Coordinates of all heavy atoms in Angstrom, one line a residue:
M1 N -18.7 -3.5 2.4 CA -18.2 -4.1 1.3 C -18.9 -3.7 0.0 O -18.3 -3.6 -1.1 CB -18.1 -5.6 1.4 CG -17.1 -6.3 0.5 SD -16.9 -8.0 0.8 CE -16.3 -8.1 2.5
S2 N -20.2 -3.4 0.1 CA -21.0 -3.0 -1.0 C -20.5 -1.6 -1.5 O -20.6 -1.4 -2.8 CB -22.5 -3.0 -0.7 OG -22.8 -2.0 0.2
V3 N -20.0 -0.8 -0.6 CA -19.5 0.5 -1.1 C -18.3 0.3 -2.0 O -18.2 1.0 -3.0 CB -19.1 1.4 0.2 CG1 -18.4 2.6 -0.3 CG2 -20.3 1.7 1.0
V4 N -17.4 -0.6 -1.7 CA -16.3 -0.9 -2.5 C -16.7 -1.5 -3.8 O -16.3 -1.0 -4.9 CB -15.3 -1.9 -1.8 CG1 -14.2 -2.3 -2.7 CG2 -14.7 -1.2 -0.5
N5 N -17.6 -2.4 -3.8 CA -18.1 -3.0 -5.0 C -18.8 -2.0 -5.9 O -18.7 -2.0 -7.2 CB -19.0 -4.2 -4.7 CG -18.2 -5.4 -4.1 OD1 -17.0 -5.5 -4.4 ND2 -18.9 -6.2 -3.3
N6 N -19.6 -1.1 -5.3 CA -20.3 -0.1 -6.1 C -19.3 0.9 -6.7 O -19.5 1.3 -7.9 CB -21.3 0.6 -5.2 CG -22.5 -0.2 -4.8 OD1 -22.7 -1.3 -5.5 ND2 -23.2 0.1 -3.8
A7 N -18.2 1.2 -6.0 CA -17.2 2.1 -6.5 C -16.5 1.5 -7.7 O -16.2 2.1 -8.7 CB -16.2 2.5 -5.5
A8 N -16.2 0.2 -7.6 CA -15.6 -0.5 -8.7 C -16.5 -0.6 -9.9 O -16.0 -0.6 -11.1 CB -15.2 -1.9 -8.3
A9 N -17.8 -0.6 -9.7 CA -18.7 -0.7 -10.8 C -19.0 0.7 -11.5 O -19.7 0.7 -12.5 CB -20.0 -1.3 -10.3
L10 N -18.4 1.7 -10.9 CA -18.6 3.1 -11.5 C -18.1 3.1 -13.0 O -18.6 3.9 -13.8 CB -17.9 4.1 -10.7 CG -18.5 4.5 -9.4 CD1 -17.5 5.5 -8.7 CD2 -19.8 5.2 -9.6
D11 N -17.1 2.3 -13.3 CA -16.5 2.3 -14.6 C -16.3 0.9 -15.1 O -15.3 0.3 -14.9 CB -15.1 3.0 -14.5 CG -14.5 3.2 -15.9 OD1 -15.3 3.2 -16.9 OD2 -13.3 3.3 -16.0
P12 N -17.4 0.4 -15.8 CA -17.3 -1.0 -16.3 C -16.3 -0.9 -17.5 O -16.3 0.0 -18.4 CB -18.7 -1.3 -16.8 CG -19.4 -0.1 -16.8 CD -18.7 0.9 -16.0
V13 N -15.3 -1.8 -17.5 CA -14.2 -1.8 -18.5 C -14.2 -3.1 -19.3 O -14.7 -4.1 -18.8 CB -12.8 -1.5 -17.9 CG1 -12.8 -0.1 -17.3 CG2 -12.6 -2.6 -16.8
T14 N -13.6 -3.0 -20.5 CA -13.5 -4.2 -21.3 C -12.0 -4.4 -21.6 O -11.4 -3.5 -22.1 CB -14.3 -4.0 -22.6 OG1 -15.6 -3.7 -22.3 CG2 -14.3 -5.3 -23.4
P15 N -11.4 -5.6 -21.4 CA -10.0 -5.8 -21.7 C -9.9 -5.8 -23.3 O -10.7 -6.3 -24.0 CB -9.7 -7.1 -21.1 CG -10.9 -7.7 -20.6 CD -12.0 -6.7 -20.7
Q16 N -8.8 -5.1 -23.7 CA -8.6 -5.0 -25.2 C -7.1 -5.4 -25.4 O -6.2 -5.1 -24.6 CB -8.7 -3.6 -25.6 CG -10.1 -3.0 -25.4 CD -11.1 -3.5 -26.4 OE1 -10.9 -3.4 -27.6 NE2 -12.2 -4.1 -25.8
L17 N -6.9 -6.1 -26.5 CA -5.5 -6.5 -26.9 C -5.1 -5.6 -28.1 O -5.8 -5.4 -29.0 CB -5.5 -7.9 -27.4 CG -4.2 -8.6 -27.5 CD1 -3.4 -8.6 -26.2 CD2 -4.4 -10.1 -28.0
S18 N -3.9 -5.0 -27.9 CA -3.4 -4.0 -28.9 C -2.0 -4.4 -29.3 O -1.3 -5.2 -28.7 CB -3.4 -2.6 -28.3 OG -4.7 -2.2 -27.8
G19 N -1.5 -3.8 -30.4 CA -0.1 -4.0 -30.9 C 0.0 -5.3 -31.6 O -0.7 -6.3 -31.3
S20 N 0.8 -5.3 -32.7 CA 1.0 -6.5 -33.5 C 2.3 -7.2 -33.2 O 2.3 -8.4 -33.0 CB 0.9 -6.1 -34.9 OG 1.9 -5.2 -35.3
D21 N 3.4 -6.5 -33.1 CA 4.7 -7.1 -32.8 C 4.8 -7.6 -31.3 O 5.2 -8.7 -31.1 CB 5.8 -6.1 -33.0 CG 6.0 -5.8 -34.5 OD1 5.4 -6.6 -35.3 OD2 6.5 -4.7 -34.8
S22 N 4.4 -6.8 -30.4 CA 4.4 -7.2 -29.0 C 3.1 -6.8 -28.4 O 2.9 -5.6 -28.0 CB 5.5 -6.6 -28.2 OG 5.5 -5.2 -28.4
P23 N 2.1 -7.7 -28.5 CA 0.7 -7.3 -28.0 C 0.7 -7.0 -26.5 O 1.5 -7.5 -25.8 CB -0.1 -8.5 -28.3 CG 0.8 -9.6 -28.8 CD 2.2 -9.0 -28.9
F24 N -0.1 -6.0 -26.2 CA -0.3 -5.7 -24.8 C -1.8 -5.5 -24.5 O -2.6 -5.2 -25.4 CB 0.5 -4.4 -24.4 CG 0.1 -3.2 -25.2 CD1 -0.9 -2.3 -24.7 CD2 0.7 -2.9 -26.4 CE1 -1.2 -1.2 -25.4 CE2 0.3 -1.8 -27.1 CZ -0.6 -0.9 -26.7
A25 N -2.1 -5.7 -23.3 CA -3.6 -5.6 -22.9 C -3.8 -4.2 -22.3 O -3.0 -3.6 -21.6 CB -3.9 -6.6 -21.8
S26 N -5.0 -3.7 -22.6 CA -5.4 -2.4 -21.9 C -6.9 -2.6 -21.6 O -7.5 -3.5 -22.0 CB -5.2 -1.2 -22.9 OG -5.9 -1.4 -24.1
L27 N -7.4 -1.6 -20.9 CA -8.8 -1.6 -20.5 C -9.5 -0.5 -21.2 O -9.1 0.6 -21.2 CB -9.0 -1.5 -19.0 CG -8.4 -2.6 -18.2 CD1 -8.6 -2.3 -16.7 CD2 -9.0 -4.0 -18.5
R28 N -10.6 -0.8 -21.9 CA -11.4 0.2 -22.6 C -12.6 0.6 -21.7 O -13.3 -0.3 -21.2 CB -12.0 -0.3 -23.9 CG -13.0 0.7 -24.5 CD -13.5 0.2 -25.8 NE -12.5 0.4 -26.8 CZ -12.5 0.0 -28.1 NH1 -13.6 -0.6 -28.5 NH2 -11.6 0.2 -28.9
S29 N -12.7 1.9 -21.5 CA -13.7 2.4 -20.6 C -14.9 3.0 -21.4 O -14.7 3.5 -22.5 CB -13.1 3.5 -19.7 OG -14.1 4.1 -18.9
V30 N -16.0 2.9 -20.8 CA -17.2 3.5 -21.4 C -17.5 4.9 -20.8 O -18.3 5.6 -21.3 CB -18.4 2.6 -21.3 CG1 -18.2 1.4 -22.1 CG2 -18.8 2.3 -19.9
R31 N -16.8 5.2 -19.7 CA -17.1 6.5 -18.9 C -16.2 7.6 -19.5 O -15.1 7.3 -19.9 CB -16.8 6.3 -17.4 CG -17.7 5.3 -16.7 CD -19.1 5.9 -16.5 NE -19.0 7.1 -15.7 CZ -19.6 7.3 -14.5 NH1 -20.3 6.3 -14.0 NH2 -19.5 8.4 -13.9
T32 N -16.7 8.8 -19.4 CA -15.8 9.9 -19.7 C -15.5 10.8 -18.5 O -14.6 11.6 -18.6 CB -16.6 10.9 -20.7 OG1 -17.8 11.3 -20.2 CG2 -16.8 10.2 -22.1
D33 N -16.1 10.5 -17.4 CA -15.8 11.2 -16.1 C -14.5 10.7 -15.6 O -14.4 9.6 -15.1 CB -17.0 11.0 -15.1 CG -16.8 11.7 -13.8 OD1 -15.8 12.4 -13.7 OD2 -17.6 11.5 -12.9
A34 N -13.5 11.6 -15.6 CA -12.2 11.2 -15.2 C -12.1 10.8 -13.7 O -11.4 9.8 -13.3 CB -11.2 12.3 -15.4
R35 N -12.9 11.5 -12.8 CA -12.8 11.1 -11.4 C -13.4 9.7 -11.2 O -12.9 8.9 -10.4 CB -13.6 12.1 -10.6 CG -12.8 13.4 -10.4 CD -13.4 14.3 -9.5 NE -14.8 14.7 -10.0 CZ -15.6 15.6 -9.4 NH1 -15.2 16.1 -8.2 NH2 -16.7 15.9 -9.9
A36 N -14.5 9.4 -11.8 CA -15.1 8.1 -11.7 C -14.2 7.0 -12.2 O -14.0 5.9 -11.6 CB -16.5 8.0 -12.4
R37 N -13.5 7.3 -13.3 CA -12.6 6.3 -13.9 C -11.4 6.1 -13.0 O -11.0 4.9 -12.8 CB -12.1 6.8 -15.3 CG -13.2 6.8 -16.3 CD -12.7 7.4 -17.6 NE -11.6 6.6 -18.2 CZ -11.0 6.9 -19.3 NH1 -11.4 7.9 -20.0 NH2 -10.1 6.1 -19.7
L38 N -10.9 7.2 -12.4 CA -9.8 7.1 -11.5 C -10.2 6.3 -10.2 O -9.5 5.4 -9.8 CB -9.3 8.5 -11.1 CG -8.1 8.5 -10.2 CD1 -6.8 7.9 -10.8 CD2 -7.8 10.0 -9.8
L39 N -11.3 6.7 -9.6 CA -11.8 6.0 -8.4 C -12.0 4.5 -8.7 O -11.5 3.6 -7.9 CB -13.0 6.6 -7.9 CG -13.7 5.9 -6.7 CD1 -12.7 5.9 -5.5 CD2 -15.0 6.6 -6.3
A40 N -12.7 4.2 -9.8 CA -12.9 2.8 -10.1 C -11.6 2.0 -10.4 O -11.5 0.8 -10.0 CB -13.9 2.7 -11.3
G41 N -10.7 2.7 -11.0 CA -9.4 2.0 -11.2 C -8.6 1.7 -9.9 O -8.1 0.6 -9.8
Y42 N -8.6 2.7 -9.0 CA -8.0 2.4 -7.7 C -8.7 1.3 -7.0 O -8.1 0.4 -6.4 CB -8.1 3.7 -6.8 CG -7.0 4.7 -7.0 CD1 -7.3 6.0 -7.3 CD2 -5.7 4.3 -7.0 CE1 -6.3 6.9 -7.5 CE2 -4.6 5.2 -7.2 CZ -5.0 6.5 -7.5 OH -4.0 7.4 -7.7
I43 N -10.0 1.3 -7.0 CA -10.8 0.2 -6.3 C -10.6 -1.1 -6.9 O -10.4 -2.1 -6.3 CB -12.3 0.6 -6.3 CG1 -12.5 1.9 -5.5 CG2 -13.1 -0.6 -5.7 CD1 -12.2 1.8 -4.0
R44 N -10.5 -1.2 -8.3 CA -10.2 -2.5 -9.0 C -8.9 -3.0 -8.5 O -8.7 -4.2 -8.3 CB -10.3 -2.3 -10.5 CG -11.7 -2.4 -11.1 CD -11.6 -2.6 -12.6 NE -10.8 -1.6 -13.2 CZ -11.1 -0.4 -13.7 NH1 -12.4 0.0 -13.5 NH2 -10.3 0.4 -14.3
S45 N -7.9 -2.1 -8.4 CA -6.5 -2.5 -8.0 C -6.5 -3.0 -6.6 O -5.9 -4.0 -6.3 CB -5.5 -1.3 -8.1 OG -5.4 -1.0 -9.5
A46 N -7.3 -2.3 -5.7 CA -7.4 -2.8 -4.3 C -8.0 -4.1 -4.2 O -7.6 -5.0 -3.4 CB -8.1 -1.7 -3.5
I47 N -9.1 -4.3 -5.0 CA -9.8 -5.6 -4.9 C -8.9 -6.7 -5.4 O -8.8 -7.8 -4.9 CB -11.1 -5.6 -5.8 CG1 -12.1 -4.7 -5.1 CG2 -11.6 -7.0 -6.0 CD1 -13.4 -4.4 -5.9
A48 N -8.1 -6.4 -6.5 CA -7.2 -7.4 -7.1 C -6.1 -7.8 -6.0 O -5.7 -8.9 -5.9 CB -6.6 -6.9 -8.4
F49 N -5.6 -6.7 -5.3 CA -4.6 -7.0 -4.3 C -5.1 -7.8 -3.2 O -4.5 -8.8 -2.8 CB -3.9 -5.7 -3.8 CG -3.0 -5.9 -2.7 CD1 -1.7 -6.4 -2.9 CD2 -3.4 -5.7 -1.4 CE1 -0.9 -6.6 -1.8 CE2 -2.6 -5.9 -0.3 CZ -1.3 -6.4 -0.6
L50 N -6.2 -7.3 -2.6 CA -6.8 -8.0 -1.4 C -7.3 -9.4 -1.7 O -7.4 -10.2 -0.7 CB -7.9 -7.1 -0.8 CG -7.4 -5.8 -0.2 CD1 -8.6 -4.9 0.2 CD2 -6.5 -6.0 0.9
S51 N -7.6 -9.7 -2.9 CA -8.0 -11.1 -3.2 C -6.9 -11.9 -3.9 O -7.1 -13.0 -4.2 CB -9.3 -11.0 -4.2 OG -8.9 -10.4 -5.4
G52 N -5.7 -11.3 -4.0 CA -4.6 -12.0 -4.6 C -3.7 -12.7 -3.7 O -3.9 -12.7 -2.4
P53 N -2.6 -13.3 -4.2 CA -1.7 -14.1 -3.3 C -0.9 -13.3 -2.4 O -0.4 -13.8 -1.4 CB -0.8 -14.8 -4.4 CG -0.9 -13.9 -5.6 CD -2.2 -13.2 -5.6
D54 N -0.7 -12.0 -2.5 CA 0.2 -11.2 -1.7 C -0.6 -10.5 -0.5 O 0.0 -9.8 0.2 CB 0.9 -10.1 -2.5 CG 2.0 -10.7 -3.4 OD1 2.4 -11.8 -3.0 OD2 2.3 -10.1 -4.4
H55 N -1.9 -10.7 -0.4 CA -2.6 -10.0 0.6 C -2.2 -10.3 2.0 O -2.2 -9.4 2.9 CB -4.1 -10.2 0.5 CG -4.6 -11.5 1.1 ND1 -4.5 -12.7 0.4 CD2 -5.1 -11.8 2.3 CE1 -5.0 -13.7 1.1 NE2 -5.4 -13.1 2.3
D56 N -1.7 -11.5 2.3 CA -1.2 -11.8 3.6 C 0.2 -11.2 3.9 O 0.6 -11.3 5.1 CB -1.2 -13.3 3.8 CG -0.3 -14.1 2.8 OD1 0.0 -13.5 1.8 OD2 0.1 -15.2 3.1
K57 N 0.8 -10.6 3.0 CA 2.1 -9.9 3.2 C 1.8 -8.4 3.6 O 2.8 -7.7 3.9 CB 3.0 -9.9 2.0 CG 3.4 -11.3 1.6 CD 4.2 -11.3 0.3 CE 4.5 -12.8 -0.1 NZ 5.1 -12.8 -1.4
L58 N 0.6 -8.0 3.6 CA 0.2 -6.6 4.0 C 0.4 -6.5 5.5 O -0.1 -7.2 6.3 CB -1.2 -6.3 3.6 CG -1.6 -4.8 3.8 CD1 -0.9 -3.9 3.0 CD2 -3.1 -4.7 3.6
T59 N 1.3 -5.5 5.9 CA 1.7 -5.4 7.3 C 1.6 -3.9 7.7 O 2.0 -3.1 6.9 CB 3.1 -5.9 7.5 OG1 3.1 -7.3 6.9 CG2 3.5 -6.0 8.9
A60 N 1.3 -3.7 9.0 CA 1.3 -2.3 9.5 C 2.8 -2.0 9.9 O 3.5 -2.9 10.5 CB 0.4 -2.2 10.7
C61 N 3.2 -0.8 9.6 CA 4.6 -0.4 10.0 C 4.6 -0.2 11.5 O 3.7 0.3 12.1 CB 4.9 0.9 9.3 SG 6.5 1.6 9.7
T62 N 5.7 -0.7 12.2 CA 5.8 -0.6 13.6 C 6.5 0.6 14.1 O 6.7 0.7 15.3 CB 6.4 -1.9 14.2 OG1 7.7 -2.0 13.6 CG2 5.6 -3.1 13.8
A63 N 6.9 1.5 13.3 CA 7.7 2.7 13.7 C 6.8 3.6 14.5 O 5.6 3.7 14.2 CB 8.3 3.4 12.5
P64 N 7.3 4.3 15.5 CA 6.5 5.3 16.2 C 5.9 6.4 15.3 O 6.6 6.9 14.4 CB 7.5 6.0 17.2 CG 8.7 5.1 17.2 CD 8.7 4.3 15.9
R65 N 4.7 6.7 15.5 CA 3.9 7.7 14.7 C 3.7 7.4 13.3 O 3.3 8.3 12.5 CB 4.6 9.1 14.9 CG 4.7 9.6 16.3 CD 5.3 10.9 16.5 NE 6.5 11.1 15.7 CZ 7.7 10.7 16.2 NH1 7.9 10.1 17.3 NH2 8.8 10.9 15.4
C66 N 4.0 6.2 12.8 CA 3.7 5.9 11.4 C 2.4 5.1 11.3 O 2.1 4.2 12.1 CB 4.8 5.0 10.8 SG 4.6 4.7 9.1
V67 N 1.6 5.5 10.4 CA 0.3 4.9 10.2 C 0.2 4.1 8.9 O -0.9 3.7 8.5 CB -0.8 5.9 10.3 CG1 -0.9 6.6 11.7 CG2 -0.7 7.0 9.2
R68 N 1.3 3.9 8.2 CA 1.3 3.3 6.9 C 1.3 1.7 7.0 O 1.7 1.2 8.0 CB 2.5 3.7 6.1 CG 2.5 5.1 5.8 CD 3.7 5.4 4.8 NE 3.9 6.8 4.8 CZ 5.0 7.4 5.2 NH1 6.0 6.8 5.8 NH2 5.1 8.7 5.2
Y69 N 0.8 1.2 5.9 CA 0.9 -0.3 5.7 C 1.8 -0.5 4.5 O 2.0 0.4 3.7 CB -0.5 -0.9 5.4 CG -1.4 -0.9 6.6 CD1 -2.1 0.2 7.0 CD2 -1.6 -2.1 7.3 CE1 -2.9 0.1 8.1 CE2 -2.4 -2.2 8.4 CZ -3.1 -1.1 8.8 OH -3.9 -1.2 9.9
F70 N 2.4 -1.7 4.5 CA 3.3 -2.0 3.4 C 3.2 -3.5 3.1 O 2.7 -4.3 3.9 CB 4.7 -1.6 3.7 CG 5.4 -2.3 4.8 CD1 6.2 -3.4 4.6 CD2 5.1 -1.9 6.1 CE1 6.8 -4.1 5.6 CE2 5.7 -2.6 7.2 CZ 6.5 -3.7 6.9
V71 N 3.8 -3.9 1.9 CA 3.8 -5.3 1.6 C 5.2 -5.8 1.9 O 6.2 -5.2 1.4 CB 3.5 -5.5 0.1 CG1 3.7 -6.9 -0.3 CG2 2.1 -5.0 -0.2
K72 N 5.3 -6.8 2.8 CA 6.6 -7.3 3.2 C 7.3 -7.9 2.0 O 6.8 -8.8 1.3 CB 6.4 -8.4 4.3 CG 6.4 -7.9 5.7 CD 6.4 -9.1 6.6 CE 6.5 -8.5 8.0 NZ 6.8 -9.6 9.0
V73 N 8.6 -7.5 1.9 CA 9.4 -8.1 0.8 C 10.2 -9.3 1.4 O 10.4 -10.3 0.7 CB 10.4 -7.1 0.2 CG1 11.3 -7.7 -0.8 CG2 9.6 -5.9 -0.3
H74 N 10.6 -9.2 2.6 CA 11.3 -10.4 3.3 C 10.7 -10.5 4.7 O 10.1 -9.6 5.3 CB 12.8 -10.2 3.3 CG 13.3 -9.0 4.0 ND1 13.4 -8.8 5.4 CD2 13.6 -7.8 3.5 CE1 13.8 -7.6 5.7 NE2 14.0 -6.9 4.5
G75 N 10.9 -11.6 5.3 CA 10.2 -12.0 6.6 C 10.5 -11.1 7.8 O 9.7 -11.0 8.6
R76 N 11.7 -10.5 7.9 CA 12.0 -9.7 9.0 C 11.7 -8.2 8.9 O 12.0 -7.4 9.7 CB 13.5 -9.9 9.4 CG 13.8 -11.4 9.8 CD 15.2 -11.6 10.2 NE 15.5 -10.7 11.3 CZ 16.8 -10.3 11.6 NH1 17.8 -10.8 11.0 NH2 17.0 -9.5 12.6
Q77 N 11.2 -7.8 7.8 CA 10.9 -6.4 7.5 C 9.8 -5.9 8.5 O 8.7 -6.5 8.6 CB 10.4 -6.3 6.1 CG 10.3 -4.8 5.6 CD 9.9 -4.7 4.2 OE1 9.7 -5.7 3.5 NE2 9.8 -3.5 3.7
E78 N 10.1 -4.8 9.2 CA 9.2 -4.3 10.2 C 8.7 -2.9 9.8 O 7.7 -2.4 10.3 CB 9.9 -4.1 11.5 CG 10.3 -5.4 12.2 CD 11.0 -5.0 13.5 OE1 10.4 -4.3 14.3 OE2 12.1 -5.5 13.7
F79 N 9.4 -2.2 8.9 CA 9.1 -0.8 8.6 C 8.8 -0.6 7.1 O 9.3 -1.3 6.3 CB 10.3 0.1 9.0 CG 10.8 -0.2 10.4 CD1 12.0 -0.9 10.6 CD2 10.0 0.1 11.5 CE1 12.4 -1.2 11.9 CE2 10.4 -0.1 12.8 CZ 11.6 -0.8 13.0
C80 N 8.0 0.5 6.9 CA 7.6 0.7 5.5 C 8.7 1.3 4.7 O 8.7 1.2 3.5 CB 6.3 1.6 5.5 SG 6.6 3.3 6.2
Q81 N 9.6 2.1 5.3 CA 10.7 2.7 4.6 C 11.9 2.9 5.5 O 11.7 2.9 6.7 CB 10.2 4.0 4.0 CG 9.7 5.0 5.0 CD 9.0 6.2 4.3 OE1 9.2 6.4 3.1 NE2 8.4 7.0 5.0
P82 N 13.1 3.1 5.0 CA 14.2 3.2 5.8 C 14.1 4.3 6.9 O 14.6 4.2 8.0 CB 15.4 3.5 4.9 CG 14.9 2.9 3.6 CD 13.4 3.1 3.6
S83 N 13.5 5.4 6.6 CA 13.4 6.5 7.6 C 12.6 6.1 8.8 O 12.8 6.5 9.9 CB 12.8 7.8 6.9 OG 11.5 7.5 6.5
C84 N 11.6 5.2 8.6 CA 10.9 4.7 9.8 C 11.8 3.8 10.6 O 11.7 3.8 11.8 CB 9.6 3.9 9.3 SG 8.3 5.0 8.9
G85 N 12.6 3.0 10.0 CA 13.5 2.2 10.7 C 14.5 3.0 11.5 O 14.8 2.8 12.7
N86 N 15.0 4.1 10.9 CA 15.9 5.0 11.6 C 15.2 5.7 12.8 O 15.8 5.8 13.9 CB 16.4 6.1 10.7 CG 17.3 5.5 9.6 OD1 17.9 4.4 9.8 ND2 17.5 6.2 8.5
R87 N 14.0 6.1 12.6 CA 13.2 6.7 13.7 C 13.0 5.8 14.8 O 13.1 6.1 16.0 CB 11.9 7.3 13.2 CG 11.2 8.3 14.1 CD 10.1 9.0 13.5 NE 9.0 8.2 13.0 CZ 8.7 8.0 11.7 NH1 9.4 8.6 10.8 NH2 7.8 7.2 11.4
A88 N 12.7 4.5 14.5 CA 12.4 3.5 15.6 C 13.7 3.2 16.3 O 13.7 3.1 17.6 CB 11.9 2.2 14.9
R89 N 14.8 3.1 15.6 CA 16.1 2.9 16.3 C 16.5 4.0 17.2 O 17.0 3.9 18.3 CB 17.2 2.6 15.3 CG 17.2 1.1 14.7 CD 18.3 0.8 13.8 NE 18.1 1.5 12.5 CZ 17.4 0.9 11.5 NH1 16.7 -0.2 11.7 NH2 17.2 1.5 10.4
A90 N 16.3 5.2 16.7 CA 16.6 6.4 17.5 C 15.7 6.5 18.8 O 16.2 6.8 19.8 CB 16.4 7.7 16.7
A91 N 14.4 6.1 18.6 CA 13.5 6.1 19.8 C 14.0 5.0 20.8 O 14.0 5.3 22.0 CB 12.1 5.8 19.3
R92 N 14.4 3.8 20.3 CA 14.9 2.8 21.2 C 16.1 3.3 21.9 O 16.2 3.1 23.2 CB 15.1 1.5 20.5 CG 13.9 0.7 20.2 CD 14.3 -0.8 19.8 NE 15.1 -0.8 18.6 CZ 14.7 -1.1 17.4 NH1 13.5 -1.3 17.1 NH2 15.6 -1.1 16.4
F93 N 17.0 3.9 21.2 CA 18.3 4.4 21.8 C 17.9 5.4 22.9 O 18.5 5.4 24.0 CB 19.2 5.0 20.7 CG 20.4 5.6 21.3 CD1 21.5 4.8 21.6 CD2 20.6 7.0 21.4 CE1 22.7 5.3 22.1 CE2 21.7 7.5 21.9 CZ 22.8 6.7 22.3
Y94 N 17.0 6.3 22.6 CA 16.6 7.4 23.5 C 16.1 6.8 24.8 O 16.5 7.2 25.9 CB 15.6 8.3 22.8 CG 15.1 9.4 23.7 CD1 15.8 10.5 24.1 CD2 13.8 9.2 24.3 CE1 15.3 11.5 24.9 CE2 13.2 10.2 25.1 CZ 14.0 11.3 25.4 OH 13.5 12.2 26.3
H95 N 15.2 5.8 24.6 CA 14.6 5.2 25.8 C 15.6 4.4 26.6 O 15.5 4.4 27.9 CB 13.4 4.3 25.4 CG 12.2 5.2 25.0 ND1 11.5 6.0 25.8 CD2 11.6 5.3 23.8 CE1 10.5 6.6 25.1 NE2 10.6 6.2 23.9
R96 N 16.5 3.8 25.9 CA 17.6 3.0 26.7 C 18.5 4.0 27.4 O 18.8 3.7 28.6 CB 18.4 2.2 25.6 CG 18.5 0.8 25.9 CD 19.4 -0.1 25.0 NE 20.0 0.6 23.9 CZ 19.5 0.4 22.6 NH1 18.5 -0.4 22.4 NH2 20.1 0.9 21.6
Q97 N 18.8 5.1 26.8 CA 19.7 6.1 27.5 C 19.0 6.6 28.7 O 19.6 6.8 29.8 CB 20.0 7.2 26.6 CG 20.9 6.8 25.4 CD 22.3 6.3 25.9 OE1 22.9 6.9 26.8 NE2 22.7 5.2 25.4
R98 N 17.7 6.9 28.6 CA 16.9 7.5 29.7 C 16.8 6.4 30.9 O 16.9 6.8 32.0 CB 15.5 7.8 29.3 CG 15.5 9.2 28.6 CD 14.0 9.5 28.2 NE 13.2 9.6 29.5 CZ 12.7 10.7 29.9 NH1 12.9 11.8 29.3 NH2 11.9 10.7 31.0
A99 N 16.6 5.1 30.5 CA 16.5 4.1 31.5 C 17.9 3.9 32.2 O 17.9 3.7 33.4 CB 16.1 2.8 30.9
D100 N 19.0 4.0 31.5 CA 20.3 3.8 32.0 C 20.7 4.9 33.0 O 21.4 4.7 34.0 CB 21.4 3.6 30.9 CG 21.2 2.3 30.2 OD1 20.5 1.4 30.7 OD2 21.8 2.2 29.1
S101 N 20.2 6.1 32.6 CA 20.6 7.3 33.5 C 19.7 7.4 34.7 O 19.9 8.3 35.5 CB 20.6 8.5 32.6 OG 19.3 8.9 32.2
G102 N 18.6 6.6 34.7 CA 17.8 6.6 35.9 C 16.7 7.7 36.0 O 16.2 8.0 37.0
R103 N 16.5 8.3 34.8 CA 15.5 9.4 34.8 C 14.1 8.9 34.6 O 13.8 7.9 34.1 CB 15.8 10.4 33.7 CG 16.9 11.3 34.1 CD 17.0 12.4 33.2 NE 18.4 12.5 32.6 CZ 18.7 13.2 31.6 NH1 17.8 13.9 31.0 NH2 19.9 13.2 31.1
Ligands
ZN1 ZN1 6.5 3.5 8.5

């Protein structure tokens, strides 16, 4: 866990408020190294997600040969994308056909 926290600390940022008509927030960085800023930004996002309210919706895709994780939008969602669902249905059909034909 310290590796993650150290990566997040690569780019200490300060929240800034900009715009007068419709203010928006941005983060001011002190680093000029683009790779460090990018890595720290990814890690900050991961920390925010894993410590946020949606972390329990993170689910492994159950399709054959898929190694992705996704955030469940509804309770019965099993696959990360429609193509994984199609591949899983095709695999089930294939195995059913093989079982029915006795091979
Ligand atoms: Zn998948």
